[in-house]
Amino acid sequence: MDRNQLQRQVALMRSSLIEQVPNPSLPSLKLLVGYLDEQQFLQLEDLQDDVNPNFVEEIVTLFYKDSARLFHNIEQALKSRPVDFAKLDNYMHQFRGSTSSIGAIKVKNECNQFKEFCLAGNAEGCARAFQKVKQEHETLRTQLETYFKLRRQAGLAETV
Amino acid sequence: MTVEQRNDDPRDQFPIGMRVLAVDDDPTCLLLLETLLRRCQYHVTTTSQAITALNMLREDKNRFDLVISDVHMPDMDGFKLLELVGLEMDLPVIMLSANGDTRLVMKGITHGACDYLLKPIRIEELKNIWQHVIRRKKFDSTNQKTSGNQDRSNDGGGEGELVSAGTGNSDHSGKVNKKRKDQNEDDDEDPDENGHDNDDPSTQKKPRVVWSVELHRKFVAAVNQLGIDKAVPKKILDLMNVEKLTRENVASHLQFQNPAFRSFPPGGMIGRLNTPSGLGLRGLPSSGMIQLGHAQTSGNSNNQVKFQPVTLQGNNNGSILPGIPMPYELDQQRNKGLHIGDLSTTIDDTAVFPLSNSLPDVKIATGNGSNNVISVTNNMLMLGHCQDAQAGREFGNHSSVSVAPLKPEFCSPLQDPGRCNENWANSVQPSGFQSNSFPLNDRQKHAALHRSSSRDNMSVMASQIGVNQFDASSIASASFRPDNSLSDSQSSMIQGWGNLHKQDSSCRPNLMSSSMNSLVPVNGGLGPLEQGLDLKNPMYHRNMDFDSMGQPNYVDPLMVKYEEVEKSTMETLKLKQAYLMDQQRPQGSYMSNNFDPLGDVVSAMMKQEQDKAEGEFDAYPLRV
């Protein structure tokens, strides 16, 4: 791909990720629609500058690393009997904080679902909601990885 | 990162280079926060442990200007950190959380957070956080002067009953909260709150002085220290040692306090009353207020007491009577009817307010012809004044609505006491108010007034009064809502007042009655109602607030005073009126009524003031 194409792709993907309107020219990106909160993500990108050239990637990586830890905790808590809902809520609250910092809307929505079940003391519901959270989490990760790859390629293309 | 470089930057370029300590256990959020802060050109230090943060802060308090902390942290609760930092280092702390639940936010505020941000954070929000640093600095410096005193006063409660009444009796925590709130508010409004509007340098003759609670406490402390007999404005001023406060301010305030104690010096007093001192109701438990405090103790004291001082403050954050700016201003501009108008407006919240102030209002109000305003103010004043007078009499007898009681002296400005009384009396009478004449002397009348009106009315009135505009009609309507028995009398009373104003007296009646009613119920202390329904109104207004609380309680002290006044009708009024009356104490004679600790002081002061005031207060222009 030449530089322009790459860049265009990057732009398209990004807008798909952010906006709710699927981009017809990139059918594969339909899946990405609405994954990220525009404002938040844009802010992240905005923070990326010469001083912080890889900020977005950095923070996303950090997010995934930290969420792995939280997921582990949640799973443990879900397995334990009796289920400690307060703890669950606590962990999820933390996780939600970082997801919103990234701007991961869908993941956050699933988190909210989880919280509902948690408040209701529904362990099964929590477990199911948690599965969904993980799913969305993974999907987003894939999308973002692709996005970053494209960006890097476009960036490299530029320097070339 | 240029952070280090910025570090070298002198704070001259503030907020650039502001040193922030960021605490959050979530690494993602922490990284984001850090980056955002750096983008704002602050100097950032981060840590994911609250304990580490504390240690850093303890090592060197001056290392940071501001702390941002997450609420949810594993090693220490964010609120706890908040408290500790506030106490030990007195640094501004901003809370951060993904949870925006109101209760949590409230918790943050009560623990001393200067702001509460929700995650995800945006850079726009961070761009403004430096204001908290400035505020804190400003507040601290201004507060040093006042808070110290205030604390003394508050704690001492010694200022006598004045203070304690308002605060001591009532809920201490409330007071504390209030204080904290005040402080917070002060923080925000710093310059204004501390009783001195920055706008006008004290050099100006008539700066608007807002008699915040703190200021009032200082005032009270000074007065106590000097002794009532010797509490002359000059000395009080010196003792208070508050910048930008002029002798005149103090004098006005003094007068305000004393409505009950002294007969209002014609004109002068009223004017004074209006002035800040009057307004000071907020801060000052001016006779009316203070009395309320007492009264309150019985019942809603908490509310009331707090309310009173608070109310004053409440309205304007710091200004004594938020609602009634006039009082203070009145002082300054005694002659301007404007004040009164303002009062009315401010009255809304500060029911407490203006009682004392109101008197002056009366004067002014009438003069100006701004009917509403004037009447209101007058009422307010009256209320305040009345309270004193009435307070003794019987709280319940608000009916006597201080309005009338305004002793002739007082009334004169209003238009001539006789007239006032008459008006009031007449109007009131109908309902059996006994207070035919409002003359302060004639407490009974007040009592009657009080009695008749239902508390609600009074409160309503009071509230009405508070309502801007103290539009008589509006007030009237408002107060009349509950209008109970007093309505008639009240209306008449109001009418009386109305006359004063020269406005449509019919309008006034409502006010009056309402005020009476409201006064009674609510603030008991609002005594001034008696004096002038208008006065009461403001008070009532306040009372209203209290009302919910349970006014009767407040009224107690006042009620006592009212005893003297006819107790005939207004029960509710009584309370209020009593309170008011006490304040107003038509001539200081009421002082004897029970209420008083403040009353005494006030009267004494009033007397002194009176002398002084004579010249100043022009006869209340109650030119009806």
Side-chain angles (χ1 to χ4, degrees):
Chain A
M1 270 193 231
D2 69 358
R3 189 212 318 183
N4 287 340
Q5 269 181 324
L6 274 174
Q7 286 180 343
R8 218 166 41 88
Q9 264 215 324
V10 169
L12 283 173
M13 182 165 191
R14 183 226 245 186
S15 60
S16 289
L17 276 172
I18 293 170
E19 288 159 19
Q20 297 286 332
V21 181
N23 194 318
S25 55
L26 283 172
S28 60
L29 292 181
K30 274 193 210 163
L31 294 173
L32 294 182
V33 168
Y35 273 82
L36 294 174
D37 173 72
E38 177 170 13
Q39 266 197 333
Q40 197 57 30
F41 198 70
L42 283 182
Q43 179 175 251
L44 288 182
E45 296 215 309
D46 189 49
L47 286 174
Q48 187 156 297
D49 54 13
D50 293 339
V51 177
N52 250 338
N54 297 316
F55 177 69
V56 187
E57 236 184 296
E58 258 179 51
I59 199 167
V60 170
T61 311
L62 188 55
F63 167 67
Y64 276 92
K65 197 169 86 172
D66 193 49
S67 47
R69 178 184 65 90
L70 281 170
F71 281 3
H72 178 74
N73 288 344
I74 293 178
E75 270 160 12
Q76 293 287 20
L78 276 173
K79 283 190 199 141
S80 70
R81 293 284 178 273
V83 175
D84 187 346
F85 288 105
K87 252 199 197 164
L88 274 179
D89 190 46
N90 213 356
Y91 291 137
M92 187 48 77
H93 178 80
Q94 289 182 46
F95 179 66
R96 214 169 62 112
S98 38
T99 36
S100 55
S101 296
I102 299 287
I105 310 180
K106 287 196 174 180
V107 181
K108 195 168 85 157
N109 287 342
E110 298 301 334
C111 288
N112 290 339
Q113 288 292 319
F114 182 93
K115 189 180 173 92
E116 296 290 318
F117 286 119
C118 209
L119 288 175
N122 185 343
E124 256 200 47
C126 281
R128 271 176 299 156
F130 183 55
Q131 291 307 316
K132 290 219 188 111
V133 169
K134 283 204 287 191
Q135 265 170 26
E136 289 292 346
H137 188 248
E138 271 312 304
T139 312
L140 179 63
R141 188 213 294 258
T142 315
Q143 299 300 337
L144 283 172
E145 276 176 1
T146 311
Y147 177 68
F148 289 137
K149 205 162 82 171
L150 277 177
R151 278 189 63 138
R152 260 178 270 134
Q153 282 179 348
L156 280 173
E158 271 184 13
T159 58
V160 165
Chain B
M1 256 331 226
T2 51
V3 170
E4 281 68 26
Q5 292 164 11
R6 279 194 215 103
N7 204 12
D8 301 340
D9 271 347
R11 304 295 141 66
D12 307 347
Q13 293 188 34
F14 194 89
I16 290 179
M18 183 174 80
R19 300 157 305 165
V20 182
L21 175 61
V23 189
D24 193 336
D25 64 315
D26 184 337
T28 312
C29 295
L30 192 60
L31 177 61
L32 177 60
L33 185 60
E34 182 184 358
T35 314
L36 286 170
L37 288 169
R38 294 238 162 99
R39 185 51 77 85
C40 295
Q41 297 186 289
Y42 301 142
H43 180 232
V44 189
T45 307
T46 61
T47 173
S48 59
Q49 310 248 326
I51 307 222
T52 312
L54 255 186
N55 289 339
M56 275 199 270
L57 287 165
R58 281 175 179 154
E59 270 171 35
D60 183 2
K61 292 186 189 179
N62 294 326
R63 197 172 149 196
F64 301 103
D65 296 311
L66 177 80
V67 179
I68 301 187
S69 167
D70 185 34
V71 167
H72 245 91
M73 287 191 289
D75 60 338
M76 184 191 292
D77 181 26
F79 295 122
K80 183 105 182 79
L81 176 66
L82 162 62
E83 264 188 40
L84 290 174
V85 172
L87 282 174
E88 295 180 27
M89 292 107 204
D90 194 28
L91 281 176
V93 181
I94 295 181
M95 299 308 290
L96 213 55
S97 177
N99 188 342
D101 190 68
T102 308
R103 282 163 297 163
L104 266 191
V105 178
M106 181 66 76
K107 193 172 174 193
I109 303 295
T110 52
H111 279 74
C114 51
D115 207 347
Y116 195 106
L117 301 178
L118 292 188
K119 289 182 187 177
I121 306 261
R122 299 230 295 286
I123 199 167
E124 293 84 17
E125 295 170 321
L126 292 178
K127 284 206 167 126
N128 279 333
I129 56 176
W130 57 267
Q131 63 181 286
H132 300 294
V133 176
I134 300 288
R135 275 207 210 129
R136 174 80 49 133
K137 284 191 189 145
K138 254 189 148 203
F139 175 67
D140 280 350
S141 61
T142 359
N143 214 28
Q144 290 199 349
K145 260 190 283 194
T146 56
S147 58
N149 294 341
Q150 287 165 9
D151 288 343
R152 260 182 281 128
S153 337
N154 291 332
D155 298 344
E159 302 254 77
E161 290 134 24
L162 296 183
V163 176
S164 50
T167 54
N169 297 332
S170 47
D171 200 279
H172 254 284
S173 52
K175 191 170 62 141
V176 169
N177 287 340
K178 189 171 96 64
K179 205 162 159 318
R180 190 201 296 225
K181 230 185 319 171
D182 287 342
Q183 288 181 0
N184 286 341
E185 285 175 304
D186 281 352
D187 257 350
D188 296 349
E189 322 250 4
D190 187 46
D192 303 320
E193 289 329 20
N194 274 321
H196 302 295
D197 287 353
N198 312 329
D199 310 335
D200 291 351
S202 42
T203 53
Q204 306 237 349
K205 198 128 204 216
K206 313 178 192 179
R208 273 199 212 158
V209 174
V210 169
W211 282 87
S212 64
V213 173
E214 289 76 12
L215 200 57
H216 180 70
R217 290 200 188 108
K218 284 176 103 182
F219 172 82
V220 174
V223 169
N224 281 343
Q225 197 173 328
L226 289 168
I228 299 214
D229 293 342
K230 296 212 175 64
V232 292
K234 185 74 178 73
K235 289 194 186 150
I236 297 174
L237 182 67
D238 291 341
L239 268 182
M240 284 175 71
N241 188 27
V242 177
E243 268 183 18
K244 295 196 199 163
L245 190 62
T246 67
R247 191 203 73 82
E248 193 179 28
N249 299 143
V250 174
S252 303
H253 196 54
L254 191 59
Q255 300 223 345
F256 238 107
Q257 303 315 312
N258 232 335
F261 295 116
R262 319 158 54 97
S263 40
F264 277 57
M269 287 277 280
I270 304 218
R272 292 250 185 104
L273 291 177
N274 290 330
T275 55
S277 51
L279 288 180
L281 287 186
R282 174 165 72 150
L284 229 214
S286 36
S287 44
M289 294 210 357
I290 297 188
Q291 305 197 338
L292 283 178
H294 294 299
Q296 296 192 347
T297 36
S298 30
N300 298 303
S301 49
N302 293 337
N303 294 329
Q304 302 205 342
V305 174
K306 285 196 294 211
F307 187 76
Q308 293 173 358
V310 178
T311 39
L312 287 184
Q313 292 186 336
N315 293 334
N316 296 315
N317 284 338
S319 48
I320 298 197
L321 289 175
I324 309 185
M326 293 188 16
Y328 286 105
E329 297 179 354
L330 286 179
D331 183 31
Q332 305 307 332
Q333 319 194 359
R334 275 197 303 237
N335 304 316
K336 297 192 199 170
L338 294 184
H339 296 300
I340 304 208
D342 296 335
L343 273 182
S344 21
T345 51
T346 51
I347 298 196
D348 56 29
D349 294 336
T350 50
V352 180
F353 167 39
L355 291 186
S356 35
N357 291 327
S358 37
L359 283 180
D361 292 335
V362 172
K363 164 173 90 138
I364 300 187
T366 50
N368 291 308
S370 37
N371 306 334
N372 303 325
V373 172
I374 299 184
S375 8
V376 177
T377 47
N378 284 332
N379 286 335
M380 305 214 348
L381 290 177
M382 308 271 277
L383 291 178
H385 297 297
C386 289
Q387 285 194 343
D388 283 352
Q390 305 294 338
R393 293 203 262 209
E394 98 181 313
F395 239 30
N397 278 334
H398 279 290
S399 48
S400 36
V401 179
S402 1
V403 176
L406 273 185
K407 290 170 81 158
E409 291 145 29
F410 186 72
C411 290
S412 42
L414 289 182
Q415 240 331 275
D416 70 293
R419 192 156 38 145
C420 304
N421 296 331
E422 281 183 339
N423 290 331
W424 284 98
N426 295 332
S427 48
V428 176
Q429 293 302 327
S431 57
F433 267 112
Q434 304 246 333
S435 36
N436 311 337
S437 44
F438 269 129
L440 292 177
N441 303 315
D442 195 335
R443 289 204 259 196
Q444 307 207 337
K445 299 211 182 122
H446 299 303
L449 284 178
H450 292 301
R451 294 260 196 120
S452 49
S453 54
S454 50
R455 280 206 300 202
D456 294 342
N457 288 340
M458 300 219 5
S459 38
V460 174
M461 295 271 305
S463 47
Q464 291 295 332
I465 300 195
V467 177
N468 304 317
Q469 275 311 301
F470 224 28
D471 191 336
S473 44
S474 53
I475 295 185
S477 42
S479 48
F480 272 93
R481 278 195 293 206
D483 176 48
N484 310 325
S485 42
L486 200 56
S487 50
D488 279 356
S489 40
Q490 289 188 339
S491 34
S492 29
M493 286 194 46
I494 299 189
Q495 298 211 329
W497 275 103
N499 292 336
L500 292 180
H501 295 307
K502 238 199 241 251
Q503 289 265 307
D504 173 24
S505 50
S506 50
C507 291
R508 278 316 157 147
N510 294 334
L511 280 181
M512 305 262 299
S513 3
S514 342
S515 49
M516 307 238 319
N517 290 327
S518 46
L519 281 181
V520 170
V522 174
N523 294 321
L526 287 185
L529 261 190
E530 303 196 325
Q531 304 227 348
L533 282 181
D534 293 336
L535 288 179
K536 291 210 203 144
N537 292 333
M539 300 254 316
Y540 287 121
H541 187 62
R542 280 192 284 200
N543 287 330
M544 288 263 301
D545 297 328
F546 289 116
D547 262 325
S548 39
M549 311 235 284
Q551 305 147 2
N553 295 326
Y554 280 126
V555 180
D556 293 340
L558 289 176
M559 304 255 329
V560 181
K561 289 197 176 195
Y562 275 82
E563 289 300 323
E564 303 179 15
V565 180
E566 266 190 7
K567 305 185 170 190
S568 33
T569 31
M570 316 211 348
E571 293 149 30
T572 51
L573 278 183
K574 286 201 289 196
L575 288 182
K576 296 216 183 125
Q577 303 203 340
Y579 195 80
L580 293 173
M581 307 232 344
D582 273 338
Q583 301 229 340
Q584 303 203 352
R585 272 261 208 157
Q587 288 209 338
S589 51
Y590 292 124
M591 298 213 344
S592 49
N593 291 332
N594 340 277
F595 216 175
D596 275 299
L598 190 55
D600 289 323
V601 174
V602 174
S603 21
M605 299 198 313
M606 295 274 296
K607 287 193 184 131
Q608 292 174 12
E609 280 311 315
Q610 225 179 1
D611 298 337
K612 289 191 235 185
E614 302 272 353
E616 300 175 53
F617 283 150
D618 307 310
Y620 286 102
L622 282 189
R623 306 186 240 261
V624 177

